[in-house]
Amino acid sequence: MIETEIIPYREEFKEQVLDLVISAWKPVFEKTINEVPRFVYDNFWPKGWQVRQISEVSSLLDSNSENVWLAFEGDSLAGFIAVAIHPEDRMGEISIVAVSPGHQRKGVGKELVHFAEQYIRDSGMNMVMVETVGDSGHKPARSTYEALGYVQWPVVRYFKEL
């Protein structure tokens, strides 16, 4: 069994992280496109989901790199996680977590979440939040969070095409 090593993000790994994002979320978005109203999908991702994901994750890596960690199994980037601290709510937020397809269902995501929880706890926060989507593509993420003791807060968003 290969041991997972979690290290702080470094700029030299940016392209690997961006490649991981695309490979990890490709099967998710393949399902999402058929499960959300088309006008919603087209407005959120007018140039395609890959373009927006690369832009958002790249921006995160450039502006908040001190709150991003990488999980390696051997020499292979297995996943990454980023957090945000919200002291006004005494809360930490897992803003993004992704695991490479070749490393999924092997506990890497859980290790990253545990690592983030400890960081948030050490930052003096009393709770942690993570958001995901209710479609079938995000079901594995929801299952992981629930298995780790996260409790769902029912939130409903409505969209209407204009």
Side-chain angles (χ1 to χ4, degrees):
M1 181 174 177
I2 299 175
E3 190 171 316
T4 303
E5 178 184 14
I6 298 176
I7 66 167
Y9 169 76
R10 295 194 314 253
E11 168 76 24
E12 68 193 79
F13 296 111
K14 184 174 184 177
E15 289 306 315
Q16 288 182 55
V17 171
L18 297 176
D19 289 344
L20 185 150
V21 165
I22 297 302
S23 66
W25 287 336
K26 183 176 188 259
V28 173
F29 278 97
E30 286 174 347
K31 292 180 179 180
T32 300
I33 194 169
N34 296 315
E35 295 181 22
V36 298
R38 187 62 198 211
F39 74 91
V40 172
Y41 189 93
D42 290 344
N43 280 285
F44 280 147
W45 303 287
K47 297 178 182 176
W49 67 268
Q50 298 94 333
V51 171
R52 182 166 178 176
Q53 292 306 117
I54 291 293
S55 175
E56 289 181 355
V57 173
S58 186
S59 178
L60 170 76
L61 296 174
D62 292 342
S63 66
N64 194 27
S65 62
E66 67 278 1
N67 289 323
V68 178
W69 292 271
L70 310 175
F72 280 87
E73 290 194 339
D75 292 334
S76 178
L77 178 62
F80 78 101
I81 195 163
V83 303
I85 302 296
H86 304 284
E88 66 281 5
D89 297 320
R90 300 177 68 182
M91 177 182 78
E93 173 186 359
I94 295 174
S95 55
I96 189 170
V97 60
V99 177
S100 172
H103 297 276
Q104 291 175 0
R105 295 177 181 37
K106 296 180 181 178
V108 174
K110 287 180 182 179
E111 286 189 53
L112 283 165
V113 170
H114 286 305
F115 179 90
E117 289 172 345
Q118 188 60 53
Y119 175 81
I120 291 165
R121 188 178 297 109
D122 291 347
S123 297
M125 301 300 106
N126 293 335
M127 66 177 173
V128 61
M129 176 191 73
V130 63
E131 287 184 291
T132 190
V133 182
D135 64 6
S136 65
H138 289 86
K139 185 177 181 182
R142 291 191 310 274
S143 296
T144 297
Y145 303 139
E146 290 168 11
L148 291 172
Y150 285 74
V151 178
Q152 185 183 93
W153 177 9
V155 175
V156 178
R157 282 189 177 168
Y158 291 95
F159 295 90
K160 178 181 177 183
E161 186 172 22
L162 300 176

